Amino acid sequence: MQEELFESVEKSKAPFSEGEGQDLPQKEQKDWYVDLTREEFIAFRMLLARLQGPLRLRIPTMIMAALCCVGVAALAVVDWLEAGKQGWPDPTLLVTAALVLLPGFYTWFYVPAKMKKTAGQHYDRSVRSGMSYCGRLEIYPDRVDKVGVSASTSAVMDQGTLFIETADMMVFTAAGTPALVLPGRCLTAAQAAQIRQTADRLPPHNRRFIARVRTGAEVVAPPVEEKPEELWVSTFTYTPEEYATVLKGVLIQHFWRMAPLLMGTALVGSYLFRPMEGDLTSCIPLFLVMCGIFLLFNLILPLARVKRQVPYTTAHDRTMQVRLDTMALRLKLPKGAENWVLWCDVDHVYDKDDFVEVVHNKKATLHIPKRCIEDLEAFDAIVTRCRQK
């Protein structure tokens, strides 16, 4: 999150007028609400996983795993035939043939089931926290907004925004900002046409058309919810030294999260490519070499790149706004969009050296410089109050 930078975005304040984009009435434009059900939220998460996430390589991974399994099994059978069919095929090769199938089964069965479960749990936690996925739809020539009481999001038509249209929904997503998901059941045909007209401002490679959305024009009642109470707000600029510390910390945390997978890959690779005439101890040098390669490309080189690039960042690049309210910890991101972390997703808050570190969603960390907090005891009381809700 800290890598996101403030940028001023020129936004047109005039929505489509009557007569533009399928003649959508002005009243419908201003007062039309859309929401998002649990099933639609899960479908959206799975859609992104298939286009940009781990499910994108599910089929190639399964094919490669099957080919490797067949190849290793065939090698075991050939060795057995050359030995005159004495005894059984080499059990080591048979076990290896089974092991190489694991990545395929993992990405084909476990990952989708886990992602569906996680998405459903996230939706449930959000609703229990008081967040509403209902908001007023506003369509402009250069952006699409969904305005709610507890949370709002805006999709600006720039190089970082991706538009996806399926039979069930229209989606705008960009790195570091909340996605805008518009179910087809909540849209009229005129609204869908206007949204496509706005999305046409994006480069062709930023648009994914899977199917034309089926509109339902379902009328959604405005949400009945209270606006969260704002408790603390601060806009700060990291110093170059602080920014380097933050980025290095993010890289190191990411490396340790990846370490078990990298070590497992090195272990299996060193076993498969060991000298056939050697024993298991012959795997050790190859294992160490592979670990060194992973360390070089996943930690050492990225850390060196951070060290080179940080001195060239501007104060604008290192600026961030953080607001705490009774529902969430909110971050003002570079493009002017706001992201948020619900208090139920905050795992730990640490008082460390020059920062207050907020760990959320099991892996991400927000660093707030202590110099920006005038009263640490009052800040701690706010965090304690919000996390106990």
Side-chain angles (χ1 to χ4, degrees):
M1 291 182 182
Q2 292 83 356
E3 296 180 34
E4 296 292 335
L5 316 173
F6 275 103
E7 296 174 0
S8 60
V9 179
E10 294 295 332
K11 295 184 177 181
S12 170
K13 297 301 180 182
F16 284 102
S17 61
E18 295 187 25
E20 289 185 283
Q22 306 297 320
D23 298 324
L24 182 66
Q26 190 77 350
K27 182 178 184 299
E28 185 180 48
Q29 169 69 29
K30 289 184 177 180
D31 301 324
W32 191 267
Y33 288 83
V34 296
D35 63 0
L36 192 66
T37 65
R38 188 178 192 272
E39 293 71 22
E40 289 165 346
F41 182 82
I42 294 174
F44 152 69
R45 284 291 186 89
M46 299 305 292
L47 173 66
L48 286 190
R50 290 194 300 271
L51 294 180
Q52 298 178 315
L55 299 187
R56 181 169 54 92
L57 300 177
R58 184 172 64 159
I59 294 178
T61 300
M62 194 65 183
I63 293 174
M64 289 299 298
L67 291 175
C68 291
C69 177
V70 171
V72 176
L75 181 60
V77 172
V78 169
D79 288 346
W80 179 59
L81 293 176
E82 289 180 351
K85 299 183 180 180
Q86 297 180 1
W88 294 90
D90 186 350
T92 301
L93 290 177
L94 294 179
V95 171
T96 302
L99 289 176
V100 296
L101 278 178
L102 291 180
F105 282 109
Y106 178 80
T107 56
W108 192 267
F109 297 105
Y110 176 79
V111 173
K114 179 66 174 177
M115 293 191 68
K116 288 180 180 179
K117 180 180 179 181
T118 301
Q121 291 174 340
H122 178 83
Y123 185 92
D124 294 338
R125 288 197 308 271
S126 301
V127 172
R128 285 197 302 268
S129 298
M131 178 179 168
S132 172
Y133 283 91
C134 181
R136 186 177 68 253
L137 177 63
E138 298 179 355
I139 307 172
Y140 298 88
D142 63 344
R143 75 185 195 276
V144 180
D145 294 348
K146 181 179 176 182
V147 182
V149 176
S150 59
S152 301
T153 185
S154 178
V156 181
M157 302 303 108
D158 59 19
Q159 295 287 338
T161 300
L162 174 67
F163 172 69
I164 309 167
E165 181 175 354
T166 72
D168 299 319
M169 62 184 67
M170 302 175 106
V171 177
F172 291 92
T173 179
T177 60
L180 175 58
V181 185
L182 305 173
R185 64 177 175 82
C186 299
L187 300 175
T188 65
Q191 288 170 334
Q194 282 190 342
I195 292 169
R196 291 190 198 98
Q197 183 179 344
T198 299
D200 284 343
R201 298 172 66 98
L202 295 172
H205 60 271
N206 282 33
R207 302 194 296 267
R208 303 285 190 275
F209 178 79
I210 299 175
R212 184 168 289 272
V213 69
R214 296 189 295 264
T215 57
E218 178 180 322
V219 177
V220 177
V224 179
E225 55 180 328
E226 295 182 0
K227 186 174 182 180
E229 178 188 356
E230 185 173 278
L231 303 174
W232 184 83
V233 60
S234 176
T235 300
F236 56 85
T237 301
Y238 291 114
T239 65
E241 295 76 16
E242 290 173 340
Y243 198 55
T245 299
V246 168
L247 295 183
K248 288 177 181 178
V250 171
L251 288 173
I252 293 172
Q253 289 176 359
H254 177 72
F255 175 78
W256 283 116
R257 287 196 301 270
M258 293 289 295
L261 177 61
L262 298 177
M263 294 286 286
T265 302
L267 186 62
V268 173
S270 62
Y271 177 77
L272 292 177
F273 296 104
R274 76 188 192 284
M276 296 303 295
E277 67 278 1
D279 55 17
L280 290 179
T281 58
S282 62
C283 300
I284 297 177
L286 184 57
F287 172 76
L288 295 176
V289 170
M290 295 183 71
C291 286
I293 293 174
F294 289 144
L295 180 67
L296 176 66
F297 285 97
N298 290 278
L299 186 61
I300 296 176
L301 291 181
L303 288 176
R305 188 160 54 249
V306 166
K307 185 177 180 180
R308 292 195 305 270
Q309 293 178 350
V310 165
Y312 296 98
T313 60
T314 65
H316 179 267
D317 298 333
R318 304 189 301 271
T319 300
M320 173 180 292
Q321 184 186 77
V322 177
R323 293 192 295 116
L324 309 185
D325 60 38
T326 51
M327 181 177 294
L329 183 155
R330 303 178 190 270
L331 313 174
K332 194 70 177 284
L333 299 177
K335 297 179 181 179
E338 184 180 74
N339 206 344
W340 59 83
V341 179
L342 297 174
W343 286 110
C344 60
D345 291 327
V346 173
D347 304 303
H348 303 284
V349 180
Y350 298 111
D351 182 350
K352 288 190 175 180
D353 299 328
D354 298 326
F355 297 97
V356 171
E357 298 183 4
V358 182
V359 181
H360 57 92
N361 296 301
K362 307 299 182 184
K363 56 183 180 180
T365 303
L366 169 67
H367 296 75
I368 303 176
K370 285 186 185 178
R371 57 182 174 79
C372 302
I373 304 175
E374 296 181 0
D375 189 338
L376 280 174
E377 291 186 0
F379 183 86
D380 179 68
I382 291 172
V383 171
T384 302
R385 169 190 170 187
C386 294
R387 295 191 67 197
Q388 289 178 349
K389 283 178 62 65

mmCIF file of all heavy atoms in Angstrom, residues 92 96 263 265-291:
data_model
loop_
_atom_site.group_PDB
_atom_site.id
_atom_site.type_symbol
_atom_site.label_atom_id
_atom_site.label_comp_id
_atom_site.label_asym_id
_atom_site.label_seq_id
_atom_site.Cartn_x
_atom_site.Cartn_y
_atom_site.Cartn_z
ATOM 1 N N THR A 92 10.909 -45.593 -6.316
ATOM 2 C CA THR A 92 11.254 -44.167 -6.246
ATOM 3 C C THR A 92 10.658 -43.394 -7.412
ATOM 4 O O THR A 92 10.112 -42.301 -7.252
ATOM 5 C CB THR A 92 12.778 -43.997 -6.230
ATOM 6 O OG1 THR A 92 13.335 -44.684 -5.117
ATOM 7 C CG2 THR A 92 13.154 -42.524 -6.157
ATOM 8 N N THR A 96 7.795 -40.539 -7.353
ATOM 9 C CA THR A 96 8.040 -39.248 -8.012
ATOM 10 C C THR A 96 6.929 -38.919 -9.004
ATOM 11 O O THR A 96 6.484 -37.769 -9.101
ATOM 12 C CB THR A 96 9.393 -39.282 -8.740
ATOM 13 O OG1 THR A 96 10.437 -39.578 -7.795
ATOM 14 C CG2 THR A 96 9.671 -37.947 -9.409
ATOM 15 N N MET A 263 11.447 -23.287 -0.873
ATOM 16 C CA MET A 263 12.244 -24.386 -0.327
ATOM 17 C C MET A 263 11.743 -25.738 -0.825
ATOM 18 O O MET A 263 12.523 -26.630 -1.164
ATOM 19 C CB MET A 263 12.193 -24.338 1.205
ATOM 20 C CG MET A 263 12.849 -23.124 1.820
ATOM 21 S SD MET A 263 14.652 -23.198 1.760
ATOM 22 C CE MET A 263 14.959 -24.401 3.041
ATOM 23 N N THR A 265 10.163 -26.267 -3.635
ATOM 24 C CA THR A 265 10.534 -26.377 -5.049
ATOM 25 C C THR A 265 11.998 -26.761 -5.193
ATOM 26 O O THR A 265 12.360 -27.605 -6.028
ATOM 27 C CB THR A 265 10.263 -25.045 -5.766
ATOM 28 O OG1 THR A 265 8.879 -24.698 -5.618
ATOM 29 C CG2 THR A 265 10.604 -25.140 -7.239
ATOM 30 N N ALA A 266 12.865 -26.137 -4.383
ATOM 31 C CA ALA A 266 14.295 -26.462 -4.432
ATOM 32 C C ALA A 266 14.539 -27.914 -4.017
ATOM 33 O O ALA A 266 15.379 -28.611 -4.612
ATOM 34 C CB ALA A 266 15.074 -25.511 -3.536
ATOM 35 N N LEU A 267 13.798 -28.377 -3.012
ATOM 36 C CA LEU A 267 13.976 -29.753 -2.536
ATOM 37 C C LEU A 267 13.577 -30.763 -3.596
ATOM 38 O O LEU A 267 14.314 -31.718 -3.891
ATOM 39 C CB LEU A 267 13.146 -29.956 -1.270
ATOM 40 C CG LEU A 267 13.311 -31.307 -0.547
ATOM 41 C CD1 LEU A 267 14.752 -31.480 -0.081
ATOM 42 C CD2 LEU A 267 12.343 -31.394 0.623
ATOM 43 N N VAL A 268 12.406 -30.555 -4.200
ATOM 44 C CA VAL A 268 11.948 -31.481 -5.244
ATOM 45 C C VAL A 268 12.855 -31.396 -6.471
ATOM 46 O O VAL A 268 13.235 -32.426 -7.063
ATOM 47 C CB VAL A 268 10.496 -31.161 -5.626
ATOM 48 C CG1 VAL A 268 10.054 -32.005 -6.828
ATOM 49 C CG2 VAL A 268 9.565 -31.416 -4.453
ATOM 50 N N GLY A 269 13.244 -30.168 -6.851
ATOM 51 C CA GLY A 269 14.113 -30.008 -8.010
ATOM 52 C C GLY A 269 15.465 -30.656 -7.816
ATOM 53 O O GLY A 269 15.988 -31.313 -8.729
ATOM 54 N N SER A 270 16.053 -30.502 -6.636
ATOM 55 C CA SER A 270 17.367 -31.118 -6.385
ATOM 56 C C SER A 270 17.275 -32.637 -6.397
ATOM 57 O O SER A 270 18.215 -33.315 -6.816
ATOM 58 C CB SER A 270 17.914 -30.634 -5.041
ATOM 59 O OG SER A 270 17.057 -31.027 -3.976
ATOM 60 N N TYR A 271 16.130 -33.180 -5.983
ATOM 61 C CA TYR A 271 15.975 -34.639 -6.009
ATOM 62 C C TYR A 271 15.792 -35.148 -7.437
ATOM 63 O O TYR A 271 16.384 -36.161 -7.837
ATOM 64 C CB TYR A 271 14.773 -35.043 -5.152
ATOM 65 C CG TYR A 271 14.483 -36.528 -5.182
ATOM 66 C CD1 TYR A 271 15.254 -37.425 -4.451
ATOM 67 C CD2 TYR A 271 13.442 -37.029 -5.965
ATOM 68 C CE1 TYR A 271 15.004 -38.782 -4.489
ATOM 69 C CE2 TYR A 271 13.178 -38.389 -6.008
ATOM 70 C CZ TYR A 271 13.952 -39.254 -5.266
ATOM 71 O OH TYR A 271 13.693 -40.606 -5.316
ATOM 72 N N LEU A 272 14.993 -34.437 -8.235
ATOM 73 C CA LEU A 272 14.722 -34.892 -9.596
ATOM 74 C C LEU A 272 15.947 -34.777 -10.494
ATOM 75 O O LEU A 272 16.141 -35.614 -11.401
ATOM 76 C CB LEU A 272 13.566 -34.075 -10.194
ATOM 77 C CG LEU A 272 12.180 -34.290 -9.573
ATOM 78 C CD1 LEU A 272 11.158 -33.370 -10.225
ATOM 79 C CD2 LEU A 272 11.740 -35.748 -9.716
ATOM 80 N N PHE A 273 16.787 -33.758 -10.265
ATOM 81 C CA PHE A 273 17.925 -33.516 -11.147
ATOM 82 C C PHE A 273 19.257 -33.966 -10.538
ATOM 83 O O PHE A 273 20.321 -33.625 -11.055
ATOM 84 C CB PHE A 273 17.998 -32.025 -11.509
ATOM 85 C CG PHE A 273 16.816 -31.555 -12.300
ATOM 86 C CD1 PHE A 273 15.816 -30.811 -11.699
ATOM 87 C CD2 PHE A 273 16.694 -31.871 -13.644
ATOM 88 C CE1 PHE A 273 14.723 -30.375 -12.413
ATOM 89 C CE2 PHE A 273 15.608 -31.433 -14.377
ATOM 90 C CZ PHE A 273 14.607 -30.693 -13.764
ATOM 91 N N ARG A 274 19.194 -34.762 -9.493
ATOM 92 C CA ARG A 274 20.430 -35.268 -8.893
ATOM 93 C C ARG A 274 21.087 -36.267 -9.841
ATOM 94 O O ARG A 274 20.416 -36.860 -10.698
ATOM 95 C CB ARG A 274 20.134 -35.960 -7.560
ATOM 96 C CG ARG A 274 19.523 -37.343 -7.715
ATOM 97 C CD ARG A 274 19.074 -37.912 -6.383
ATOM 98 N NE ARG A 274 18.760 -39.322 -6.465
ATOM 99 C CZ ARG A 274 17.674 -39.837 -6.990
ATOM 100 N NH1 ARG A 274 16.758 -39.027 -7.523
ATOM 101 N NH2 ARG A 274 17.475 -41.148 -7.016
ATOM 102 N N PRO A 275 22.391 -36.477 -9.737
ATOM 103 C CA PRO A 275 23.060 -37.521 -10.522
ATOM 104 C C PRO A 275 22.431 -38.887 -10.228
ATOM 105 O O PRO A 275 22.259 -39.259 -9.078
ATOM 106 C CB PRO A 275 24.518 -37.454 -10.050
ATOM 107 C CG PRO A 275 24.675 -36.071 -9.508
ATOM 108 C CD PRO A 275 23.344 -35.713 -8.910
ATOM 109 N N MET A 276 22.053 -39.596 -11.264
ATOM 110 C CA MET A 276 21.338 -40.855 -11.079
ATOM 111 C C MET A 276 22.156 -41.871 -10.307
ATOM 112 O O MET A 276 21.621 -42.719 -9.601
ATOM 113 C CB MET A 276 20.939 -41.432 -12.441
ATOM 114 C CG MET A 276 19.956 -40.563 -13.209
ATOM 115 S SD MET A 276 18.440 -40.236 -12.274
ATOM 116 C CE MET A 276 17.752 -41.894 -12.154
ATOM 117 N N GLU A 277 23.490 -41.816 -10.444
ATOM 118 C CA GLU A 277 24.319 -42.799 -9.752
ATOM 119 C C GLU A 277 24.638 -42.400 -8.315
ATOM 120 O O GLU A 277 25.220 -43.180 -7.557
ATOM 121 C CB GLU A 277 25.636 -42.999 -10.515
ATOM 122 C CG GLU A 277 26.575 -41.791 -10.541
ATOM 123 C CD GLU A 277 26.189 -40.788 -11.615
ATOM 124 O OE1 GLU A 277 25.176 -41.046 -12.312
ATOM 125 O OE2 GLU A 277 26.887 -39.763 -11.769
ATOM 126 N N GLY A 278 24.244 -41.174 -7.922
ATOM 127 C CA GLY A 278 24.570 -40.708 -6.584
ATOM 128 C C GLY A 278 23.491 -41.057 -5.575
ATOM 129 O O GLY A 278 22.355 -41.400 -5.920
ATOM 130 N N ASP A 279 23.844 -40.967 -4.279
ATOM 131 C CA ASP A 279 22.844 -41.199 -3.245
ATOM 132 C C ASP A 279 22.161 -39.870 -2.907
ATOM 133 O O ASP A 279 22.362 -38.855 -3.570
ATOM 134 C CB ASP A 279 23.490 -41.821 -2.008
ATOM 135 C CG ASP A 279 24.656 -40.979 -1.485
ATOM 136 O OD1 ASP A 279 24.744 -39.792 -1.885
ATOM 137 O OD2 ASP A 279 25.460 -41.495 -0.694
ATOM 138 N N LEU A 280 21.347 -39.869 -1.850
ATOM 139 C CA LEU A 280 20.585 -38.670 -1.508
ATOM 140 C C LEU A 280 21.470 -37.495 -1.108
ATOM 141 O O LEU A 280 21.075 -36.338 -1.256
ATOM 142 C CB LEU A 280 19.603 -38.993 -0.387
ATOM 143 C CG LEU A 280 18.431 -39.910 -0.765
ATOM 144 C CD1 LEU A 280 17.548 -40.172 0.443
ATOM 145 C CD2 LEU A 280 17.608 -39.306 -1.899
ATOM 146 N N THR A 281 22.669 -37.785 -0.584
ATOM 147 C CA THR A 281 23.551 -36.687 -0.189
ATOM 148 C C THR A 281 24.025 -35.867 -1.390
ATOM 149 O O THR A 281 24.425 -34.713 -1.228
ATOM 150 C CB THR A 281 24.778 -37.231 0.562
ATOM 151 O OG1 THR A 281 25.469 -38.174 -0.286
ATOM 152 C CG2 THR A 281 24.362 -37.925 1.850
ATOM 153 N N SER A 282 23.936 -36.471 -2.584
ATOM 154 C CA SER A 282 24.336 -35.728 -3.783
ATOM 155 C C SER A 282 23.334 -34.624 -4.119
ATOM 156 O O SER A 282 23.611 -33.776 -4.969
ATOM 157 C CB SER A 282 24.469 -36.681 -4.971
ATOM 158 O OG SER A 282 23.220 -37.299 -5.263
ATOM 159 N N CYS A 283 22.149 -34.626 -3.467
ATOM 160 C CA CYS A 283 21.155 -33.575 -3.700
ATOM 161 C C CYS A 283 21.525 -32.271 -3.004
ATOM 162 O O CYS A 283 21.041 -31.201 -3.393
ATOM 163 C CB CYS A 283 19.784 -34.022 -3.192
ATOM 164 S SG CYS A 283 19.119 -35.507 -3.959
ATOM 165 N N ILE A 284 22.358 -32.366 -1.955
ATOM 166 C CA ILE A 284 22.609 -31.198 -1.107
ATOM 167 C C ILE A 284 23.226 -30.030 -1.880
ATOM 168 O O ILE A 284 22.730 -28.894 -1.777
ATOM 169 C CB ILE A 284 23.479 -31.586 0.099
ATOM 170 C CG1 ILE A 284 22.726 -32.599 0.972
ATOM 171 C CG2 ILE A 284 23.870 -30.356 0.908
ATOM 172 C CD1 ILE A 284 23.516 -33.112 2.150
ATOM 173 N N PRO A 285 24.309 -30.243 -2.675
ATOM 174 C CA PRO A 285 24.878 -29.094 -3.400
ATOM 175 C C PRO A 285 23.871 -28.447 -4.351
ATOM 176 O O PRO A 285 23.781 -27.213 -4.418
ATOM 177 C CB PRO A 285 26.051 -29.714 -4.173
ATOM 178 C CG PRO A 285 26.410 -30.934 -3.392
ATOM 179 C CD PRO A 285 25.120 -31.464 -2.867
ATOM 180 N N LEU A 286 23.090 -29.272 -5.074
ATOM 181 C CA LEU A 286 22.109 -28.717 -5.997
ATOM 182 C C LEU A 286 21.014 -27.978 -5.241
ATOM 183 O O LEU A 286 20.539 -26.911 -5.671
ATOM 184 C CB LEU A 286 21.504 -29.838 -6.841
ATOM 185 C CG LEU A 286 20.512 -29.423 -7.935
ATOM 186 C CD1 LEU A 286 21.162 -28.437 -8.892
ATOM 187 C CD2 LEU A 286 20.000 -30.639 -8.689
ATOM 188 N N PHE A 287 20.612 -28.498 -4.081
ATOM 189 C CA PHE A 287 19.604 -27.836 -3.251
ATOM 190 C C PHE A 287 20.090 -26.456 -2.813
ATOM 191 O O PHE A 287 19.352 -25.470 -2.884
ATOM 192 C CB PHE A 287 19.291 -28.709 -2.041
ATOM 193 C CG PHE A 287 18.404 -28.059 -1.025
ATOM 194 C CD1 PHE A 287 17.037 -27.939 -1.253
ATOM 195 C CD2 PHE A 287 18.921 -27.556 0.157
ATOM 196 C CE1 PHE A 287 16.211 -27.326 -0.315
ATOM 197 C CE2 PHE A 287 18.107 -26.953 1.100
ATOM 198 C CZ PHE A 287 16.744 -26.843 0.858
ATOM 199 N N LEU A 288 21.345 -26.380 -2.378
ATOM 200 C CA LEU A 288 21.895 -25.099 -1.941
ATOM 201 C C LEU A 288 21.997 -24.104 -3.089
ATOM 202 O O LEU A 288 21.737 -22.902 -2.922
ATOM 203 C CB LEU A 288 23.265 -25.320 -1.301
ATOM 204 C CG LEU A 288 23.271 -26.143 -0.001
ATOM 205 C CD1 LEU A 288 24.702 -26.362 0.479
ATOM 206 C CD2 LEU A 288 22.438 -25.452 1.072
ATOM 207 N N VAL A 289 22.357 -24.597 -4.275
ATOM 208 C CA VAL A 289 22.453 -23.724 -5.441
ATOM 209 C C VAL A 289 21.085 -23.152 -5.798
ATOM 210 O O VAL A 289 20.939 -21.949 -6.059
ATOM 211 C CB VAL A 289 23.048 -24.487 -6.643
ATOM 212 C CG1 VAL A 289 22.910 -23.661 -7.923
ATOM 213 C CG2 VAL A 289 24.519 -24.807 -6.396
ATOM 214 N N MET A 290 20.069 -24.013 -5.796
ATOM 215 C CA MET A 290 18.724 -23.552 -6.141
ATOM 216 C C MET A 290 18.206 -22.564 -5.098
ATOM 217 O O MET A 290 17.565 -21.567 -5.437
ATOM 218 C CB MET A 290 17.778 -24.745 -6.279
ATOM 219 C CG MET A 290 18.135 -25.675 -7.431
ATOM 220 S SD MET A 290 16.965 -27.033 -7.643
ATOM 221 C CE MET A 290 15.545 -26.139 -8.268
ATOM 222 N N CYS A 291 18.491 -22.822 -3.812
ATOM 223 C CA CYS A 291 18.089 -21.876 -2.760
ATOM 224 C C CYS A 291 18.776 -20.529 -2.959
ATOM 225 O O CYS A 291 18.160 -19.467 -2.765
ATOM 226 C CB CYS A 291 18.429 -22.446 -1.384
ATOM 227 S SG CYS A 291 17.338 -23.778 -0.843
#
